[in-house]
């Protein structure tokens, strides 16, 4: 039976350590989160981030806008936050309404305040093998979790299923920078199971139940990023836990695996930006 990669426990440990650090600072790190519209999932994510930030002493502010806000108003707000020296970190919750250009909005965030690491400057740094201001939260959380369990990456075959700009793409680069041999799969990939069968480390970020035990190599590591509700309203990950946990040596559960690590990384990134701005 696979060992569980316990993201919740590691998140708690990271947050505890961060709180002690933040308590020792005279000025506190600050995070501004922009939420446009009333997408229920986005509201839950933003409120969660806000609550956890406050709990560990980060000054967190949610800036709410209705769905019909103009792109110009949003860009003006980001400019104001960019110029406000009391703000260390800016996060724009995605998705944005269709009439607003996600790229324009993300590009307008100062790379030094880009807590998600999504601006072209930080992405460019990551993809050219340099060190970005901060690493994107979900991939960063995944690597922290693998490191916590001493899972070797160097020279091992990591298969990433999903190529989104928030998970699959940045993660593949981070794995490459750690000397893994990386294969990225997506919806056009043929014979997915033939590829997953060769993975020492399989990371799935799709949002569908596509990984079954028979697609895994014996003793591999499974990191399940996907999260969705099944037909019975139960929260599920990409991997079929019952069959996968019998083949893998390690597996991250859903919920309780990657999700908590994403939040922990956001808090770590906020503090990193704060240190860069105010402690140097
Ligand atoms: P996304 O933008 O929804 O993209 C999904 C990816 O899966 C795409 O690259 C798509 O390929 C690929 N895909 C779809 N069907 C496939 C199939 N049958 N075989 C192989 N690949 C397939 O991805 P995302 O935003 O990264 O989210 C993915 C999942 O992770 C979602 O469930 C999301 O809720 C979850 N998530 C969790 C966290 C967390 O903190 N736990 C963070 C972020 C996301 P194409 O590119 O070809 O379309």
């Amino acid at each position: 039976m696979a060992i569980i990669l316990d993201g919740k426990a590691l998140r708690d440990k990271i947050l505890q350590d961060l709180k002690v650090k933040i308590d020792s600072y005279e000025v506190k790190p600050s995070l501004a989160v922009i939420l446009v519209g009333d997408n229920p999932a986005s509201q839950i994510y933003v409120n969660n981030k806000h609550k956890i930030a406050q709990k560990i002493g980060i000054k967190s502010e949610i800036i709410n806008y209705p769905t019909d806000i103009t792109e110009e108003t949003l860009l003006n707000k980001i400019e104001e936050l960019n110029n406000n020296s009391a703000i260390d970190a800016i996060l724009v919750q995605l998705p944005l309404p269709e009439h607003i250009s996600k790229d324009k909005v993300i590009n307008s965030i100062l790379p030094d305040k880009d807590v998600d690491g999504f601006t072209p400057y930080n992405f460019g740094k990551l993809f050219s093998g340099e060190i970005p201001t901060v690493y994107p939260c979900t991939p960063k959380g995944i690597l922290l979790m693998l490191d916590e369990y001493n899972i070797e990456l160097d020279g091992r075959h990591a298969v990433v299923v999903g190529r989104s700009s928030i998970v699959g793409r940045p993660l593949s680069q981070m794995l490459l920078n750690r000397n893994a041999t990386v294969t990225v799969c997506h919806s056009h990939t043929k014979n997915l199971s033939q590829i997953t069968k060769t993975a020492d480390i399989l990371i799935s970020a799709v949002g569908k139940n596509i990984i079954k035990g028979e697609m895994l190599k014996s003793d591999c590591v499974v990191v399940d990023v996907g999260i969705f509700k099944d037909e019975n309203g139960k929260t599920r990950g990409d991997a079929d836990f019952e069959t996968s946990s019998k083949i893998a040596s390690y597996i991250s559960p859903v919920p309780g695996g990657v999700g908590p690590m994403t939040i922990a990384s956001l808090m770590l990134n906020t503090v990193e930006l704060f240190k860069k701005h105010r402690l140097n």
Side-chain angles (χ1 to χ4, degrees):
M1 218 31 199
I3 294 171
I4 302 294
L5 297 167
D6 190 344
K8 231 170 155 179
L10 181 54
R11 172 202 62 190
D12 291 347
K13 191 169 125 191
I14 291 171
L15 294 181
Q16 243 173 29
D17 291 350
L18 265 185
K19 184 172 185 318
V20 172
K21 261 195 207 151
I22 295 169
D23 283 347
S24 74
Y25 302 146
E26 220 166 279
V27 180
K28 306 299 177 195
S30 66
L31 167 69
V33 180
I34 298 179
L35 174 62
V36 181
D38 48 14
N39 178 322
S42 293
Q43 281 173 338
I44 293 171
Y45 293 146
V46 165
N47 286 334
N48 251 341
K49 291 168 184 171
H50 178 64
K51 260 199 266 170
I52 290 180
Q54 284 194 317
K55 213 166 138 187
I56 63 168
I58 290 174
K59 278 201 264 170
S60 160
E61 174 191 2
I62 303 178
I63 301 157
N64 274 295
Y65 285 114
T67 311
D68 61 1
I69 184 196
T70 64
E71 189 177 274
E72 194 190 354
T73 309
L74 187 54
L75 292 173
N76 287 340
K77 183 66 193 179
I78 292 173
E79 197 185 343
E80 184 193 312
L81 295 169
N82 281 340
N83 293 327
N84 182 349
S85 60
I87 298 291
D88 296 302
I90 303 170
L91 183 152
V92 177
Q93 184 65 43
L94 300 174
L96 288 168
E98 268 179 20
H99 68 281
I100 296 177
S101 157
K102 181 196 101 180
D103 289 346
K104 241 190 196 170
V105 168
I106 297 298
N107 291 0
S108 73
I109 300 171
L110 211 60
D112 247 20
K113 297 194 177 191
D114 169 25
V115 73
D116 265 331
F118 287 165
T119 56
Y121 175 86
N122 281 322
F123 242 58
K125 283 229 162 202
L126 177 61
F127 277 69
S128 58
E130 291 176 48
I131 298 173
T133 314
V134 290
Y135 290 94
C137 296
T138 301
K140 173 174 174 150
I142 291 168
L143 292 195
L144 285 172
M145 190 159 71
L146 294 173
D147 288 344
E148 174 72 12
Y149 286 83
N150 296 315
I151 291 164
E152 182 69 51
L153 297 173
D154 199 310
R156 299 187 81 195
H157 186 204
V159 172
V160 178
V161 189
R163 56 173 166 179
S164 74
S165 55
I166 61 169
V167 188
R169 282 174 200 261
L171 177 65
S172 65
Q173 292 305 307
M174 289 163 73
L175 289 164
L176 204 54
N177 292 346
R178 293 281 300 270
N179 296 325
T181 302
V182 183
T183 303
V184 181
C185 303
H186 45 77
S187 68
H188 294 247
T189 298
K190 293 188 171 63
N191 303 322
L192 181 65
S193 60
Q194 268 178 29
I195 300 170
T196 57
K197 266 224 172 257
T198 66
D200 299 311
I201 298 156
L202 174 70
I203 306 175
S204 186
V206 172
K208 293 179 202 160
N209 186 219
I210 55 160
I211 307 296
K212 316 264 184 270
E214 73 247 23
M215 295 166 70
L216 304 175
K217 176 164 128 179
S218 189
D219 287 337
C220 69
V221 175
V222 176
V223 177
D224 196 344
V225 187
I227 180 158
F228 61 96
K229 299 261 187 220
D230 70 11
E231 55 284 2
N232 303 316
K234 191 170 175 260
T235 301
R236 299 284 310 266
D238 289 357
D240 177 53
F241 190 84
E242 207 186 309
T243 55
S244 302
S245 59
K246 285 185 184 134
I247 308 289
S249 56
Y250 291 88
I251 187 167
S252 73
V254 178
V258 175
M261 289 307 298
T262 298
I263 295 251
S265 300
L266 175 65
M267 301 305 142
L268 285 167
N269 281 357
T270 302
V271 173
E272 265 181 49
L273 295 179
F274 162 80
K275 281 184 173 163
K276 199 167 155 45
H277 298 148
R278 311 210 213 183
L279 301 187
N280 281 339

